[in-house]
Structures are given as C-alpha cells and as structure tokens.
Amino acid sequence: MAMLPLCLILLTNLLHFLSAQQTNGYVSVGASLTATPNASSWLSSSGEFAFGFQQIQGNDNFLLSIWYDKIPDKTIVWYPKDGHTVPSGSKVELTGGTGLVLTDPEGKQIWTSGSISNIASGFMNDTGNFVIIGSDSRNIWESFNHPTDTMLPTQVMARGGVISSKMSKTNFSAGKFQLRFQLDGNFVLYTLDIISGSTGNPNYNTGTFNVSSSTNSGYQYIFNATGYMYILKGNGEKYELTPRDSLPSGDYYHRATLDYDGVFAQYYYPKNSDGNQRWEVVWSEPENICKIDGGGACGLNNVCSLEDNRPICECPQGFSLLDSNVPNGDCKPDFAPSCDEDYREEQFDFIELNNIDWPQHDYVHMDPSNEESCKTSCLKDCFCAVAIYRDSQCWRKQIPLSNGRKDSSVIVKAFLKFSNGNHSLQRPEFSREDKNRRSLILLGSALLSTSVFVIIFLTSVICIGFFRVYKKRSLNPYPSSKAVEATLPRFTYQELVKATDGFKVELGKGAFGAVYKGVIGTKMVAVKKLHSLIQDVQKEFKIEVNTIARTNHKNLVQLLGYCDEGEQRLLIYEYMSNGTLAGFLFEDTRPSWKQRSNVAIGIAKGLAYLHEECSTQIIHCDIKPQNILLDEHCDAKIADFGLAKILMLNQSRTNTGIRGTKGYVAPEWFRNTLVSVKVDVYSFGVLLLEIVSCRKSVVFESDNEDMEVLTDFAWDCYQKGLLDTFVENDSEALDDYKKLTRFVMVGLWCVQENPSLRPTMRKVIQMLEGGLEVAEPPCPFPYSLTSFKSFNECG
Ligand SMILES: *[C@@H]1O[C@H](CO)[C@@H](O)[C@H](O)[C@H]1NC(C)=O
Ligand SMILES: *[C@@H]1O[C@H](CO)[C@@H](O)[C@H](O)[C@H]1NC(C)=O
Ligand SMILES: *[C@@H]1O[C@H](CO)[C@@H](O)[C@H](O)[C@H]1NC(C)=O
Ligand SMILES: *[C@@H]1O[C@H](CO)[C@@H](O)[C@H](O)[C@H]1NC(C)=O
C-alpha cells in the first residue's frame, strides 16, 4: 500500500515535467518545441527573452530564434547562421548527445548546435544568451558565441568574429554586408561582392590595428552590461564606439544590429513601455553609406538617398526594379540605347534628373562643357546612356551605372537617354506609392519566375559593360541567355575600315595583333585586329568576347564592340591617351613615387577583379608593362585580358605551351604543373618590382652581371637593406620608406617559385594599402635551377 503515494509522487513529477519542461530559464534534456502559430517557447527567468519558433511576416514558415518577448514586435536577436526558415510542424529538441537539433516535419535534420555530449541542461539567460550546460557545469555552447546580425549587452567578440546582415526585412539568409573584428584588431564594416564573396574597401573602420606593435591593436569587441560598446586594446585602452554619456538613464533594452541596409546601429527601447514605443538609435555607422564608392547600399542603376541616416533606394525614372521584392537591388532600364547600325540620334531624347549622380565608371570627361554640348555629345555617341552635367563639366556613362546617389546639396543634372516614340513602351513615371502597389501585384509572379533566370540576368547585369535589350525583346522582363550573348555591339568590317580611316594610324603591335586608332561617333577608340584564327576557334571567340564584355572595372580597358566576319576578327576598345606603362616607366623622366604606387595598386585591383570578382574567372597570362595602359588621369588599366584563351588555345598544342612574355613568366610554365591565377600573381610581382625601381625585369646588355635579373637584384638589395640602391636613390620613395619596404616585400612574396606561397591578389591589395601586415618574405627561389639566377645570393 505504501507504493501508491510513491507512484503518485512520481506521476505528478512526470506530469509536471511534461507540461512545463522549463523552469526559471532552465530547459531539461529531451525537451522540445514544435513550430505552430501559437507555439510555446522557452523563456528566461524574467520572461524578457524567449527561445523558440517565430512565424515570419508574410510567410507560412518559422524561424528558430531568440527574441525580446515583452516587446510587441518580438524583435529577433539571434537565429542560426544560415537563416533557413522551416515549415509548420518542424521541431527543435535539446538532446543529450548533440545539443539543439532542428528537424523538419519529416524528421530530416536541418540544423544542430554541434556534436557535443554529456549535456546537463539548457538555459535561457536573462541576457538573451541561450546556453547549453555540460554535466561538469561548464557552458558547452552559447548563442552569444554564434552571433548572426545582432550583439547584446554582456556579449563579447574575439578577433576573427563576424556578423552578417540579413538579406531583407523578412529574409534571414546572409546578406551582402558584414561586420568583421579582424585578426589584426581592426573593427571593419564591409560590403561583399555577391558573386565572389570578396570585399572591397571598408565602409567604416576603427583603425584599431597597428602594423608595428600588436599591444595597442584591438583585442576584444565588448558590449558591456550598461550598454556601452567599445574595442578593448591589448594595452587596456578603450576605443569607444558608443559615444560617452549618450545613453538615456533608466531601464532600457539595448542592442546593436547590422541591418539589411548596411548600417550598423545601436538601439535602445524602454523596458516598461505602454506599447507605443519604438527602437531609438543612439549611434550608427557608416555616416552616409550612399556616399561610399562601392558601399553597395543600392544595386546597379539604382539611386541612393539618405533619410534619417538610412539609405533609401529608388530606381530613377526610366528604370524599374529587377526584383520587386528587393527595393535595394538592381534596376533594369526600361529601354537602353543600342549601338545598332541604324542608330540615329533623332530617335532619342533625354529625361532630366536633378541632383542625381553616378560618380564612377565614366568613359568620357569633357572639361569645360555646357549643358547643350553635353547632351549633344551623348546623343551623337551610341555608347552613351547617361550624360552627367556638373560645374561646367560633362561625363558620359554607359549602363550599368553603379553607386547612384541623390543629394540635393549638389547641383548636378543627369540626362538619361531614352527612345522617343516609334516605341511600344511608354515613358514610365512611377511614384513610390505606385511602385509599392506594383510590388504587391508582381510579388506572386516574381515568386514564380525561376531563380535561374534571375541569376543569369543578375550576372549579366553585373559584369556587362553594355546593356542592350533588343527592341523586339524589350517586352520580356527576363531576357533569355541568348539576349545576354548579344549584348556587345557588333560591327561590320567595312564600318571599322571607315572608323580607322583604312587602318591608317597604328598605335602599337602586340602578341595578338596590331592596334589602330579610330573614331566611332565622336568617341576615340582603339581597334585591335587579331591575327587570323584557326576556324574551330570561332565558337570560342564569341564566348570569350562575351566574357570580356561582361567585365566592368575601372582598372580594366573596356571592350566596346567587336567584329566577327569571315577571317576578320577585331575588337574595339576605349582609347587610352597616356600610352603604356612601359613608356611611362622606362622613358624620359621618371614618374613620381606617388603616381607609381597608385598605378601599382590600380593594376592589383584590376587583376583581383579578373581573378575573383567577375562571374567567369579570367587568368590574364601576359601581365607586363606593355599591356598596362594609362588613361588621362594616369590611372592604370589592364589591356588584352581574356585573349590568351582565344588565341593560344590551339597554339599550345604545337609549341611548348608557354604563354606570356619572357622575364614575367612564372616558373610553373616550364614545369608540368597546373597553371592557376598564381601565374598572374608572379607576373604582377615582377611588374611591381619594375614599378618600384623603374628598372626592366631583364636587362641583357648590362655590364653589371648582378643587375641582369630584377627579381634576383630585388632580393639581394632587400636582404642587404640596400633599398636606396634598388630605387636609384629616388628621394621621394626613400622618404616613404615604410611603404617602399612594404611594396618590395609584397613583390618578393609574389615572385615566390612555389605558387602556393604567393598571395592572392586580394591579399596583395590589402598588403599594398597597409591594411594587412606583410611578413618577412623567404628567398623567392630556394630551388631555382637555371635561367632566372645569375649569382648565388641565396646560398
Ligand atoms: C492563437 O492564439 C490566438 C489568440 O491568442 C487565437 O485567436 C487563435 O485562435 C490561436 N490559434 C491557434 C491555431 O490556436
Ligand atoms: C547568465 O548571465 C549572467 C550575466 O552575464 C552570468 O553572470 C551568469 O553566469 C549566466 N548564467 C549562465 C548559466 O551562464
Ligand atoms: C532569401 O534569399 C535567398 C537569396 O536570394 C533565397 O535563396 C531564399 O530562398 C530567400 N528565402 C526566403 C525565405 O525567401
Ligand atoms: C561600460 O562602459 C562605459 C564606457 O566605457 C563605462 O562608463 C561603464 O562603467 C561600463 N559599465 C560596466 C558595467 O562596466
């Protein structure tokens, strides 16, 4: 009989356990939550934070997350990194063996906190940190150590930590903005390139790194319990992020979130509110993301303006959103000027946009100019899509336009070319309200459109120098891949004979053919006549030309058009008024150190783009001063990229297979090893040493044996600390000794015989710009056999 009360006690305990798996923030092993509209959650002891499933706005799916449970909008502060949403009926369980396990209704595992064992319990802390406690009472896993887009008071980030913005308000996949607390101690906001994942220049950084001493570089990023954020340096100093005394006194929630618009903001919210409150901003960076080149707040052709320190993106008149769900995405032109043979200026007119500028990627700059001549010159030029008029100067631009910004404090006019009549499309004029309505209507259809189309389209928009939508096809909002192929203007041979006045003025001769000066419309061009090709290369020619056309970077010579007629294959490029880098470096007067270092960084950026940022990776294979051109501002532009593939493809069967030019060629060309982008890094290293020293890579006639091979000489001078000899006592370079040393060291890293030791071009840029410390380079040729060495300096 004594058994009964005992059983009852056990039973009530069991019932209690089943009904409330959680008390005082603790969660027992075996407890689970199911995703349903009114699902329960695991609360912290104060009830301020909850862990569980939250239904996503405008969506039937759920997100496993942690949120402020007492705030009406249940602001989310954490979710698993990939931001996957799950359907109703999905389950999360705290298991004894693998911690938190998220499964879909079929039982398939979607996410887990990681394989960990001997778990005692889970704990939803009042700080917003969900902790898994081991049987030894230590914390095995913490949501604070896996932040997604938000940081909370008492949370600390070590070097190497990253948080990512979400994609949009309701899409929790990782977006294009990142906050990195770098290994060097710098705290940096970046915009990622969607395709390559690489970063450009920082949108904001604290500069808490120190190249020469690590003790005063950043050590921890701390959000303290009072609500102040700062970088704690190695020497105990604080670099304050939250301005001193900026927080209101009283009981407030605090958080800092890298929002989907690219702004990292710290917010507060009164704890005991009547429900009519909202999150207020105390501090945010960057100050004006619209003004940052490459900030990427708005997509291509889109225009950014600032409202309350936040970017608002709006397609300009004549453009509409590529994906109506993504207002900060790319805009597509409703009609784009084309360079058809029947281009006539009478067919076009302008839409005038005030205070709007796209300050990058102009290909013609007229100074001085007036409004009328600015417009006329754009009308006459079939390549011109937009003319910008400001301060009596005129810039002509092609589509896609990037970094568009609206700023009423600047007096600037943008003239957007559009086809005037004989056109089935009407001139579009949407106000923002119209667009919102349209968005709703389009939402359904956009969801139905296949992502493949979107990807093809996006890719093409991003890398294409020209955007041509054929008149016939312009009613189709999603051009087929065929349309993408046809984006580059094609010219007949006769037109080019005319444009070059019968190939009268030769600008130069290269491995691939001669280059002639020409004029198309009013635009000066360089026409490259390629050596005749073997017939079966024909198909590759088209593919490669389109690959080249899809590149668009300020350090690459822009391909404007091509001709493919029988045996005749010609490429039309923008004309570069300042000739080649070879002329710049080795002739007449020595250019200044500042100019030289700018040129070096420009080339590095162009190469990094070819290697990492364009949709198709391009290995140049023939980097040398003759292939680098300088525009009117002496900015470097890489020429002849993409050609190695067309022209050498077949020759490699017949000759030794060595591409490129002697002296710049990476050693692996002579071996039977795989050729990668690292061959370009090698050539860049040689080029960098040439730019630094104004000496040629190989000098044959010299009496001085030591100076024959530049890479040897550079290593020798570097080792002996004789950089003054290396730069021939260039006083400007010597005054900038730190940078000079850095450049030489980077050069020596790039020419390492072992390709895997050479840095990527991305790293090269960071090292050249001083954002990344350069380690001591080892001897570049530890096992070099021959030709490259003329004396045994490494012995
Ligand atoms: C969820 O809760 C609300 C109000 O608390 C109630 O009106 C609704 O019927 C519930 N839905 C389900 C599916 O239980
Ligand atoms: C909860 O957070 C507080 C404040 O940071 C801390 O002192 C406590 O140890 C935490 N509890 C657990 C179980 O981690
Ligand atoms: C979020 O965006 C990504 C990338 O565009 C897409 O693959 C994913 O399906 C989106 N998720 C939701 C829930 O819409
Ligand atoms: C948080 O940091 C601020 C600013 O550095 C400081 O004034 C405050 O005392 C700190 N609070 C705590 C709890 O350490």
Side-chain angles (χ1 to χ4, degrees), residues 176-177 191 203 260-263 286 288-300 302-306 310-314 326-330 403-404:
K176 63 181 166 183
F177 302 101
T191 306
N203 295 342
Y260 64 91
D261 60 8
V263 176
N288 185 349
I289 194 168
C290 296
K291 276 199 174 158
I292 298 171
D293 290 340
C298 305
L300 292 170
N302 214 333
V303 176
C304 186
S305 56
L306 211 62
R310 310 304 287 232
I312 308 282
C313 304
E314 199 168 8
V326 190
N328 59 352
D330 297 337
N403 268 292

Side-chain angles (χ1 to χ4, degrees), residues 474-502:
S474 57
L475 287 171
N476 176 4
Y478 298 106
S480 67
S481 55
K482 239 184 177 165
V484 170
E485 259 195 30
T487 47
L488 190 69
R490 187 172 166 166
F491 292 83
T492 65
Y493 186 65
Q494 264 321 304
E495 282 172 321
L496 295 180
V497 170
K498 219 170 111 200
T500 56
D501 203 1

Side-chain angles (χ1 to χ4, degrees), residues 70-141:
K70 292 189 171 169
I71 292 181
D73 79 352
K74 313 271 181 205
T75 315
I76 290 176
V77 294
W78 179 89
Y79 47 91
K81 253 204 166 90
D82 57 19
H84 277 320
T85 53
V86 290
S88 171
S90 301
K91 197 175 105 175
V92 65
E93 184 179 347
L94 181 66
T95 66
T98 31
L100 291 166
V101 178
L102 173 64
T103 49
D104 69 7
E106 283 77 49
K108 200 173 126 240
Q109 187 173 310
I110 306 287
W111 172 84
T112 151
S113 59
S115 11
I116 37 184
S117 51
N118 295 325
I119 292 168
S121 64
F123 182 64
M124 184 68 245
N125 203 329
D126 274 329
T127 55
N129 188 14
F130 188 87
V131 185
I132 298 176
I133 304 168
S135 46
D136 58 359
S137 310
R138 291 223 311 256
N139 292 351
I140 311 180
W141 184 92

Side-chain angles (χ1 to χ4, degrees), residues 36-39:
T36 52
N38 285 351

Side-chain angles (χ1 to χ4, degrees), residues 224-226 228 230 238 240:
N224 79 10
T226 332
Y228 283 90
Y230 53 85
K238 288 178 182 176
E240 290 178 357

Side-chain angles (χ1 to χ4, degrees), residues 191-482:
T191 306
L192 300 185
D193 183 282
I194 316 168
I195 293 172
S196 67
S198 63
T199 60
N201 290 331
N203 295 342
Y204 165 79
N205 80 96
T206 55
T208 44
F209 66 103
N210 193 316
V211 181
S212 53
S213 130
S214 59
T215 54
N216 52 354
S217 53
Y219 166 67
Q220 277 182 327
Y221 155 42
I222 292 175
F223 198 155
N224 79 10
T226 332
Y228 283 90
M229 301 196 297
Y230 53 85
I231 307 297
L232 184 64
K233 297 193 200 174
N235 59 7
E237 280 175 20
K238 288 178 182 176
Y239 179 99
E240 290 178 357
L241 297 169
T242 314
R244 195 171 282 243
D245 301 327
S246 60
L247 295 177
S249 56
D251 225 2
Y252 288 89
Y253 292 118
H254 300 278
R255 71 179 165 100
T257 303
L258 178 58
D259 286 310
Y260 64 91
D261 60 8
V263 176
F264 181 57
Q266 182 178 346
Y267 299 89
Y268 63 87
Y269 190 103
K271 276 196 182 174
N272 303 307
S273 69
D274 53 10
N276 286 325
Q277 307 284 335
R278 53 181 210 138
W279 286 100
E280 302 287 345
V281 175
V282 244
W283 172 86
S284 71
E285 284 290 349
E287 216 169 291
N288 185 349
I289 194 168
C290 296
K291 276 199 174 158
I292 298 171
D293 290 340
C298 305
L300 292 170
N301 301 323
N302 214 333
V303 176
C304 186
S305 56
L306 211 62
E307 269 178 44
D308 295 333
N309 291 321
R310 310 304 287 232
I312 308 282
C313 304
E314 199 168 8
C315 293
Q317 242 181 340
F319 289 79
S320 44
L321 278 177
L322 184 60
D323 177 349
S324 55
N325 294 315
V326 190
N328 59 352
D330 297 337
C331 304
K332 59 186 163 62
D334 297 326
F335 15 67
S338 66
C339 263
D340 288 337
E341 300 82 56
D342 54 358
Y343 176 85
R344 262 179 288 288
E345 50 180 283
E346 309 85 72
Q347 296 170 332
F348 294 92
D349 218 330
F350 290 107
I351 299 173
E352 187 177 318
L353 308 169
N354 282 310
N355 312 111
I356 288 183
D357 196 0
W358 285 275
Q360 283 187 315
H361 296 302
D362 31 87
Y363 66 94
V364 175
H365 178 197
M366 291 156 60
D367 182 14
S369 175
N370 59 48
E371 221 177 289
E372 227 19 69
S373 70
C374 186
K375 276 162 58 171
T376 314
S377 74
C378 182
L379 267 189
K380 287 212 165 90
D381 176 356
C382 69
F383 296 115
C384 177
V386 171
I388 303 286
Y389 181 71
R390 167 162 50 92
D391 297 337
S392 305
Q393 296 174 49
C394 176
W395 290 264
R396 300 212 294 268
K397 285 164 200 292
Q398 297 160 346
I399 284 175
L401 303 156
S402 54
N403 268 292
R405 58 191 73 154
K406 184 169 188 165
D407 181 355
S408 42
S409 67
V410 183
I411 300 175
V412 49
K413 280 182 179 170
F415 299 105
L416 188 72
K417 205 190 227 173
F418 78 101
S419 171
N420 59 8
N422 324 335
H423 224 291
S424 50
L425 285 174
Q426 283 145 30
R427 183 166 157 167
E429 273 173 75
F430 296 116
S431 68
R432 195 179 290 169
E433 287 74 19
D434 284 340
K435 256 196 260 168
N436 288 344
R437 215 174 313 129
R438 235 162 57 92
S439 305
L440 283 178
I441 298 162
L442 286 179
L443 189 116
S445 59
L447 283 175
L448 288 174
S449 71
T450 64
S451 56
V452 176
F453 269 142
V454 175
I455 288 164
I456 291 175
F457 195 69
L458 259 179
T459 316
S460 62
V461 168
I462 284 159
C463 275
I464 284 173
F466 288 92
F467 189 103
R468 286 212 312 175
V469 180
Y470 278 129
K471 285 172 200 158
K472 275 180 242 121
R473 293 190 182 123
S474 57
L475 287 171
N476 176 4
Y478 298 106
S480 67
S481 55
K482 239 184 177 165

Side-chain angles (χ1 to χ4, degrees), residues 729-744:
N729 295 316
D730 182 330
S731 60
E732 209 192 335
L734 290 170
D735 283 347
D736 198 0
Y737 202 76
K738 257 194 184 160
K739 186 163 166 188
L740 170 65
T741 317
R742 209 162 67 217
F743 273 46
V744 172

